[in-house]
Amino acid sequence: MTRKGELRNIAWSNVLTKDSQGKIVDLTCLGIDLTERHRSEKELKESEEKYRLLVENQSDMVVKVDTSGRFLFVSPTYCRTFGKTEDELLGRQFMPLVHEDDRALTAKAMEALYTPPHTAYIEQQAMTKDGWRWLAWVDTAVLDEDGKVMEIIGVGRDITKRKRVEDAVRQNENKFRSLFNLSPQAIAVTDLKTGRLVDVNHKLCEVTHYAKDEIVGRRTTEVGFYSQKERIRFVDALKKFGQVNGLEMDFITKDGSVLKTLMFARLIDVSGESSVITIFHDITAQKRLERSLLRAQKMESIGTLSGGIAHDFNNILFPIVGMSEMLMEDFPPESETYSSAKEIFTAARRGSDLVKQILAFSRQSDHRLIPVQIQRILREVINLSREELSDPELKPGKYAEITVSDTGCGFDPSLKEKIFEPYFTTKETGKGTGLGLAVVYGIVKGHHGDIKIYSKIDRGTTVKVFLPLMESSYDHLPNEIPQKVETGTERILLIDDEVSIAKVGKQMLERLGYKVTMCLNSPEALKAFSAEPNAFDLVVSDMAMPNMTGDRLARRLIEIRPDIPIIICTGFSEWLDEERAANIGIKGFLLKPVVKAEIAKMIREVLAGGNGVSRD
């Protein structure tokens, strides 16, 4: 049935029946309604037209190949991309257009089309009209009613630009990775939120003594690089300023060592998560040098002060030593007066030794190194306790190691850098001067040795002193009071601005048999010498005098008489030493206070034409 007024497409088929004479005896008409068929054909034609328009006008390339890889269809975009016509492509293999390095991969991907889900994704290089380009293909198999692959449809797109970007990113990543691992600084990447280590470079593993897999994935506080409090301080600075520049923090390694570091950090994005890249600049050695420099500056300052004190103190001691020594000569050894004078002499010499120790720790003294039997000295000091220093800095060679240990309370590590500072002490007021360790330090360093300390709280302290050994040695322990005193009869010009010292010196020299002319200042001595240059066989002068110092006076005297022998005596001189004195022409150099035997011996050496030096 049809609706009224509707046009239908009907195909008629007529069947004729004839008799034996050929006459038509019957006519049968069969009508077939073709309306739906025509409508379907029209719709299919319109659909195919739309599909063709879609394929021909889209930017992606569309191809259809048979199971042997021969083109059955190519879109205009594909033709334009490869610079070929449809006739040049149809019926030909697509594989020759693929780069030879990618053909095996392409063939393997095509094999996947023969199994569910009958799709494949391929990235390949192909020779286009513009040269080798990267193309990405999504291939789909067309199946027949039995599920057998009949044809393959591929939709492709030029991804050369994306590939170049990916290559650039990959190269940058490789450069970053190389710089990351070759950096001389320790570097870590951590997750900002959790504090977990995302990545670390080789240098960080080296300085912390951790293997990479031991720490990546763990929190920095869990590993123990620093405390939670320190991390909060670091993160707060990072959040406040968006970066960290030179934040000083202690960094703890696997073996418990503490590194002094400067932290430099920036926020970065890693896979959409906020992360922190941190550089740890190790300044441990720099800090150690700074401490050494500070210690040296302190020692220099104390040394300057000590030098001034030493000069005045030695000038005070000179008459005490000289007078007590001469009193001992005036009384018999068994008398009480002799014993008293000897006690004065001994005390004055101990005071002189103390000054020398002060100069030794400040390295201001011009001392002489002599070999000794260390066992004998140890027997004298074995009952004395000693305190602490930095790692030894010793030249290659053999050393004597003296170890002193106790089982006391030990000391806090924070004190280690202070214990050798002059006047530093942990004792109660009045119980210690704080000079003992500084003196020890100066003496050991002066002998090219070092001190090393180990201490733990409540576990005691161990001190090791290293002193260089000689290939051969001899015992040299001078007697406290030399027995033999050398005398003479020559004429001596004696100059010292301290009246008491000048008087004691004159009396001491006269007891030795010399004829002495005493002057209390340099101008007076220069005037007396200029008047009669040949009236004197020897000049003995103090160093530190107003108007004209002893070395300047010596130059003036030598200008007048080049062969005049001169001995300089000083309580302390920061400028004049044996070498400089010899360069001026000075023949002898003595440190105050001096005993009679010392000056007597030097006078004879100088008058005999030699150079005399005493630094005891």
Side-chain angles (χ1 to χ4, degrees):
M1 296 180 63
T2 61
R3 289 176 294 190
K4 186 178 181 180
E6 182 181 16
L7 295 176
R8 306 291 289 179
N9 292 318
I10 300 174
W12 294 95
S13 177
N14 297 322
V15 180
L16 297 175
T17 304
K18 296 181 180 180
D19 59 11
S20 58
Q21 284 79 30
K23 292 181 180 181
I24 297 173
V25 294
D26 188 19
L27 176 63
T28 302
C29 296
L30 298 175
I32 301 173
D33 191 344
L34 298 178
T35 305
E36 293 301 325
R37 177 180 172 183
H38 287 174
R39 184 181 293 135
S40 297
E41 290 175 351
K42 181 180 179 181
E43 289 176 353
L44 177 60
K45 185 177 182 180
E46 290 175 351
S47 176
E48 289 178 347
E49 186 65 25
K50 289 179 180 178
Y51 173 74
R52 177 169 291 276
L53 289 173
L54 177 63
V55 169
E56 291 178 350
N57 290 282
Q58 71 168 339
S59 59
D60 288 342
M61 297 171 287
V62 180
V63 298
K64 182 165 65 173
V65 299
D66 60 19
T67 55
S68 66
R70 296 182 183 278
F71 288 112
L72 300 176
F73 170 81
V74 289
S75 68
T77 305
Y78 188 90
C79 293
R80 288 194 298 270
T81 300
F82 284 84
K84 296 182 181 296
T85 65
E86 185 176 7
D87 292 338
E88 289 177 308
L89 293 171
L90 291 179
R92 295 182 178 274
Q93 291 278 351
F94 75 85
M95 192 65 81
L97 297 174
V98 178
H99 195 286
E100 60 181 8
D101 292 344
D102 296 334
R103 289 174 186 174
L105 183 65
T106 300
K108 186 174 181 180
M110 297 291 287
E111 293 175 2
L113 294 170
Y114 291 84
T115 57
H118 303 290
T119 59
Y121 177 79
I122 310 168
E123 291 185 1
Q124 60 183 210
Q125 297 175 81
M127 176 53 73
T128 70
K129 68 174 183 180
D130 298 320
W132 293 107
R133 307 285 290 181
W134 276 98
L135 306 179
W137 291 94
V138 178
D139 295 336
T140 305
V142 179
L143 309 180
D144 61 11
E145 294 178 354
D146 298 326
K148 186 178 180 181
V149 177
M150 297 173 56
E151 301 169 345
I152 299 169
I153 297 176
V155 178
R157 179 173 296 177
D158 190 332
I159 59 169
T160 305
K161 185 179 292 186
R162 192 199 82 191
K163 277 290 187 179
R164 288 174 178 169
V165 171
E166 289 177 353
D167 287 343
V169 170
R170 189 178 300 107
Q171 290 176 11
N172 286 336
E173 287 178 348
N174 290 337
K175 288 179 182 178
F176 170 78
R177 178 60 55 183
S178 297
L179 292 172
F180 186 68
N181 283 320
L182 291 175
S183 172
Q185 305 289 0
I187 306 176
V189 179
T190 57
D191 183 88
L192 178 63
K193 184 177 181 181
T194 64
R196 293 186 184 277
L197 290 157
V198 177
D199 199 1
V200 296
N201 72 342
H202 297 333
K203 187 64 176 181
L204 187 135
C205 294
E206 178 186 324
V207 300
T208 63
H209 309 299
Y210 282 102
K212 187 173 182 177
D213 57 6
E214 287 184 288
I215 52 180
V216 170
R218 299 174 64 190
R219 293 184 178 88
T220 51
T221 51
E222 179 186 354
V223 176
F225 287 160
Y226 32 75
S227 66
Q228 180 65 25
K229 182 179 179 181
E230 284 285 86
R231 183 177 185 272
I232 291 174
R233 183 166 72 94
F234 170 74
V235 173
D236 285 348
L238 186 64
K239 289 180 177 179
K240 183 177 181 181
F241 302 107
Q243 59 186 17
V244 170
N245 288 319
L247 179 65
E248 188 169 329
M249 291 179 66
D250 288 346
F251 191 87
I252 303 172
T253 66
K254 187 176 183 179
D255 61 7
S257 302
V258 178
L259 302 179
K260 298 291 184 180
T261 63
L262 292 180
M263 311 282 276
F264 298 85
R266 297 290 186 276
L267 286 173
I268 61 173
D269 183 82
V270 178
S271 302
E273 298 292 334
S274 293
S275 298
V276 184
I277 184 167
T278 305
I279 296 176
F280 305 81
H281 179 52
D282 188 355
I283 57 171
T284 308
Q286 176 183 329
K287 284 291 185 181
R288 187 181 299 117
L289 288 174
E290 288 176 356
R291 290 193 296 269
S292 298
L293 178 60
L294 180 61
R295 183 185 296 118
Q297 290 172 337
K298 289 181 179 178
M299 297 289 277
E300 183 179 0
S301 299
I302 295 298
T304 301
L305 175 62
S306 301
I309 295 173
H311 177 269
D312 292 339
F313 194 37
N314 278 332
N315 280 342
I316 294 171
L317 289 174
F318 194 123
I320 298 175
V321 171
M323 286 294 186
S324 60
E325 187 176 24
M326 286 186 288
L327 282 173
M328 290 164 60
E329 293 175 349
D330 293 342
F331 295 96
E334 65 274 8
S335 67
E336 184 176 346
T337 305
Y338 178 91
S339 297
S340 298
K342 184 177 180 181
E343 288 296 326
I344 296 171
F345 177 84
T346 302
R349 291 288 283 173
R350 287 177 62 189
S352 176
D353 290 339
L354 176 60
V355 173
K356 291 169 185 173
Q357 288 181 349
I358 293 174
L359 293 177
F361 97 77
S362 64
R363 305 190 197 183
Q364 298 284 341
S365 61
D366 185 23
H367 53 275
R368 179 173 47 188
L369 302 181
I370 58 173
V372 298
Q373 287 184 346
I374 198 168
Q375 294 84 351
R376 181 177 297 184
I377 297 176
L378 285 177
R379 282 196 294 269
E380 298 176 6
V381 299
I382 194 67
N383 294 323
L384 299 177
S385 62
R386 295 288 184 267
E387 299 180 50
E388 314 70 18
L389 196 67
S390 59
D391 290 340
E393 299 175 359
L394 302 175
K395 296 180 179 179
K398 295 181 179 180
Y399 290 82
E401 178 184 323
I402 307 167
T403 302
V404 181
S405 299
D406 65 36
T407 56
C409 61
F411 65 87
D412 189 279
S414 63
L415 300 179
K416 191 172 182 179
E417 301 300 327
K418 300 180 180 179
I419 55 178
F420 283 93
E421 294 180 3
Y423 307 118
F424 174 79
T425 180
T426 57
K427 296 179 180 179
E428 299 176 10
T429 303
K431 294 295 182 69
T433 63
L435 279 175
L437 291 177
V439 170
V440 171
Y441 176 79
I443 292 173
V444 172
K445 285 292 186 179
H447 286 77
H448 310 298
D450 206 351
I451 305 178
K452 190 172 185 179
I453 176 127
Y454 308 89
S455 184
K456 291 185 178 180
I457 295 178
D458 298 328
R459 296 285 297 276
T461 300
T462 296
V463 178
K464 293 187 177 183
V465 178
F466 299 89
L467 294 172
L469 291 176
M470 299 184 68
E471 293 298 327
S472 60
S473 64
Y474 61 92
D475 192 13
H476 182 84
L477 294 177
N479 295 325
E480 186 178 26
I481 305 176
Q483 299 299 317
K484 185 179 178 180
V485 178
E486 300 181 67
T487 61
T489 59
E490 286 84 355
R491 299 162 297 175
I492 297 176
L493 176 61
L494 176 66
I495 310 107
D496 200 302
D497 62 314
E498 293 280 345
V499 177
S500 60
I501 294 176
K503 286 183 177 180
V504 171
K506 183 175 186 295
Q507 189 175 351
M508 184 183 295
L509 293 174
E510 287 176 341
R511 286 201 177 196
L512 290 172
Y514 298 105
K515 300 177 181 63
V516 181
T517 299
M518 183 180 73
C519 294
L520 297 179
N521 57 69
S522 298
E524 179 186 347
L526 181 60
K527 182 178 180 180
F529 188 83
S530 299
E532 295 183 85
N534 295 316
F536 306 100
D537 300 302
L538 175 69
V539 175
V540 178
S541 173
D542 184 29
M543 175 63 186
M545 295 184 292
N547 300 319
M548 188 184 300
T549 57
D551 59 308
R552 291 175 59 194
L553 174 62
R555 287 192 178 95
R556 296 289 298 275
L557 299 180
I558 291 171
E559 289 175 358
I560 297 171
R561 182 182 156 190
D563 66 336
I564 183 69
I566 300 173
I567 297 175
I568 293 291
C569 297
T570 180
F572 166 75
S573 176
E574 190 176 52
W575 180 84
L576 191 64
D577 56 19
E578 174 190 359
E579 182 179 353
R580 289 171 177 168
N583 290 336
I584 294 171
I586 296 170
K587 302 299 182 181
F589 187 70
L590 278 171
L591 287 178
K592 297 177 182 178
V594 295
V595 296
K596 185 167 62 174
E598 290 174 349
I599 194 167
K601 181 180 179 182
M602 179 164 288
I603 288 172
R604 297 323 307 166
E605 289 178 354
V606 169
L607 289 174
N611 288 347
V613 178
S614 176
R615 286 171 247 161
D616 294 333

